[in-house]
Amino acid sequence: MAQKITHTPLTPAVLHILLALSTEARHGYGIMKQVEAESQGKVKMGPGTLYGSLGRMIEAGLIRESDKKVDPEMDDERRIYYKITGLGRAALEAELERYRKVVAVAKRKQLASNSFAYDI
Amino acid sequence: MTSEPLERYRNWYATLLRLYPKPYRERFGEGMEQTFNDLLHERRNSGHGLSLFVLWMFAETLAGILRENERSIVMQNNKSLIRIALVTGCILLVPLLGNLFMGWNWPPFAFPLWGALLFGTGLTYELVARKGGTTAYRFAVGIACTTGFVLVFINAAAGIIGDGPVNLMYLGVLAVGFVGALIARFQPRGMALALFATALAQMLVPVIALAIWKAGWQALLIDPNSPHPPFHPGIAPVFGLNAVFAVLFVGSALLFRHASATGSK
């Protein structure tokens, strides 16, 4: 039986973090950079918001910590990586589906597609 | 630019992170410090200034600290919060019933104001009292909190020294206790010193008020716009009332000292 997703609607920060982690596990700075790139610079999170959201997402089972490792593209400090879970992926899909429906309604009402803050 | 400012900023940031609740700090502190460091290096390498960026980072993290502390307090004290809220509600029932049946005249804004003060006092007691394992420590916290609350209440209701702005000096008395407790990190020995200092500050207030009176600045002591008749308390009653508060603060300090001497927190 499909797991019921009770996490939607997600906060913007959680949605962007899940999106950033959907392709690979990342450390804190990596998540920030990915979110910034994917939102075309529109969403910028500081460490306070990022780690607050990560803590709540871990509690909710949406992501989990993986072992500390060195990022070969950065210095030799070992960093904690964060990984999306099955529940997190399902919550992301449910949220994206919700967005699709919202966009469909907006299109039916002939609201201009370029009125969104950035491409979706 | 050398790495010296970066090191300094990182140290400051590490100090700031100590304000997070301990479990949160232990889990995410290292990662946050690394991320902050990564962002600083990125910023420096792109040739942008650091000061404003660091200021934003600190403000953003401070907001996170407030959020997490609030969350931690609510999660750890759910039952206590309900209990404090109930006691606050019961106490506020007295003036409410007084207004309804006995012709009291509590203005509507006084209810949320005193409710918040009562709740805040109760919460402060809960949070601080649990830091000490002994009855003496808890009693000491209880006396300090209650005395502080009564001090605010009497001042707001009538004013201890006339009804002029000079009564605001009592906020300084409470500030001495509050800052002292923070500096002492709620350890009993330091708390004892903080409460002795609070008692001293309490007794300094009438001395300063007397000096103001002698200097002829009566306007600071008596509010000419007050709706009540001018209030001229005598010197002896003012010193006497302040002495009562000071004795209570000293009593609290002695209990903290006792808690310290018995070897527990």
Side-chain angles (χ1 to χ4, degrees), chain B:
Chain B
M1 188 188 285
T2 65
S3 65
E4 199 181 303
L6 295 191
E7 203 54 46
R8 193 171 61 230
Y9 287 139
R10 188 170 178 167
N11 287 339
W12 288 353
Y13 194 72
T15 307
L16 182 70
L17 293 181
R18 291 172 64 181
L19 296 175
Y20 269 107
K22 197 176 175 194
Y24 185 96
R25 193 172 66 237
E26 285 174 351
R27 185 161 200 183
F28 297 115
E30 189 188 346
M32 289 184 80
E33 211 181 311
Q34 278 174 341
T35 304
F36 175 74
N37 200 35
D38 294 337
L39 289 166
L40 276 188
H41 279 96
E42 178 201 292
R43 186 82 181 173
R44 186 192 60 177
N45 295 341
S46 66
H48 290 97
L50 284 178
S51 308
L52 278 177
F53 178 73
V54 168
L55 203 62
W56 176 74
M57 282 280 141
F58 275 57
E60 198 269 351
T61 302
L62 199 58
I65 287 168
L66 292 176
R67 233 175 5 246
E68 292 306 325
N69 275 299
E70 180 198 345
R71 197 162 170 264
S72 162
I73 288 170
V74 171
M75 280 176 69
Q76 288 175 19
N77 303 283
N78 232 338
K79 279 185 185 162
S80 303
L81 289 177
I82 293 169
R83 199 170 56 231
I84 296 166
L86 282 174
V87 172
T88 301
C90 288
I91 293 174
L92 287 179
L93 270 178
V94 176
L96 182 67
L97 294 174
N99 271 7
L100 289 174
F101 302 111
M102 297 173 72
W104 292 13
N105 193 22
W106 266 50
F109 73 86
F111 287 91
L113 182 73
W114 287 110
L117 267 171
L118 274 168
F119 189 83
T121 306
L123 186 62
T124 307
Y125 170 78
E126 278 288 334
L127 293 178
V128 180
R130 72 174 46 168
K131 290 181 181 293
T134 63
T135 310
Y137 188 97
R138 284 196 293 275
F139 261 109
V141 177
I143 290 173
C145 287
T146 310
T147 308
F149 176 80
V150 174
L151 184 62
V152 173
F153 185 84
I154 291 182
N155 260 300
I160 293 179
I161 310 169
D163 53 3
V166 79
N167 284 294
L168 290 173
M169 280 197 291
Y170 287 106
L171 290 179
V173 174
L174 297 179
V176 167
F178 183 71
V179 173
L182 287 182
I183 292 170
R185 290 170 176 263
F186 305 107
Q187 296 299 308
R189 181 190 288 261
M191 290 293 277
L193 286 175
L195 266 297
F196 279 129
T198 310
L200 186 65
Q202 179 79 39
M203 286 315 294
L204 273 178
V205 172
V207 174
I208 295 170
L210 193 61
I212 289 171
W213 184 264
K214 297 260 181 201
W217 299 334
Q218 271 78 359
L220 285 171
L221 294 154
I222 297 161
D223 180 7
N225 301 317
S226 172
H228 310 293
F231 177 45
H232 299 280
I235 291 175
V238 167
F239 271 89
L241 189 53
N242 278 282
V244 170
F245 283 106
V247 164
L248 287 167
F249 284 132
V250 167
S252 171
L254 291 173
L255 281 169
F256 277 124
R257 206 161 70 174
H258 177 75
S260 169
T262 52
S264 58
K265 268 180 111 183

Side-chain angles (χ1 to χ4, degrees), chain A residues 40-54:
Chain A
Q40 296 155 33
K42 295 275 194 314
V43 178
K44 282 183 181 165
M45 274 186 265
T49 306
L50 174 71
Y51 282 89
S53 300
L54 289 177

Side-chain angles (χ1 to χ4, degrees), chain A residues 84-105:
Chain A
I84 193 166
T85 61
L87 183 62
R89 205 170 283 285
L92 176 62
E93 282 166 13
E95 183 71 350
L96 294 177
E97 182 57 30
R98 200 177 67 81
Y99 269 65
R100 275 185 214 105
K101 285 176 182 166
V102 171
V103 172
V105 171

